[in-house]
Amino acid sequence: MRKILVIFGTNSFEHDVSCESVKSVLKNIDNGKFNVYVAGITKENKWYLYKDDYSLIDKNWLDKKIENIDNVINFCKSFDLVIPIIHGKNGEDGKIQGF
């Protein structure tokens, strides 16, 4: 199965919108076809692997089960596909895609 990483959050003023949007995306990905992983980016640009129930993602997602991602570049390279669900700065401006 292909490994997919879905990214949400970031330091945009639309951080909370991203937290809501990502739940819709995760709800509609076929888990029978893909191994899905989720990474959240804090408003301070720290990356965490989100390891809790996807329906619990909200603006307080840091209080859930998470794991620090030390080397973001190597982490992202380990996936077949990365889907950014990021609104506003660093998402809709193409910075995360350029990364």
Side-chain angles (χ1 to χ4, degrees):
M1 270 197 280
R2 299 189 94 183
K3 280 177 61 178
I4 293 178
L5 175 63
V6 180
I7 303 171
F8 73 95
T10 199
N11 66 350
S12 165
F13 63 91
E14 294 189 53
H15 178 95
D16 295 349
V17 175
S18 176
C19 294
E20 289 303 313
S21 296
V22 74
K23 290 191 285 190
S24 278
V25 172
L26 293 169
K27 187 169 122 179
N28 289 291
I29 291 178
D30 186 344
N31 289 306
K33 291 183 180 179
F34 306 104
N35 287 325
V36 180
Y37 297 81
V38 180
I41 306 172
T42 68
K43 292 179 181 179
E44 294 78 29
N45 285 324
K46 294 187 181 188
W47 288 56
Y48 293 93
L49 184 62
Y50 184 85
K51 300 178 98 177
D52 214 328
D53 184 333
Y54 300 152
S55 67
L56 300 176
I57 297 174
D58 60 17
K59 64 182 179 179
N60 298 314
W61 64 271
L62 285 167
D63 296 334
K64 313 297 191 287
K65 295 176 190 169
I66 58 172
E67 179 181 308
N68 186 51
I69 299 171
D70 291 321
N71 189 323
V72 173
I73 293 172
N74 285 343
F75 179 76
C76 289
K77 283 183 178 181
S78 71
F79 293 91
D80 298 305
L81 177 67
V82 177
I83 304 171
I85 309 301
I86 298 172
H87 300 284
K89 182 175 89 173
N90 297 327
E92 293 172 359
D93 61 4
K95 286 184 182 172
I96 195 81
Q97 291 86 346
F99 165 73

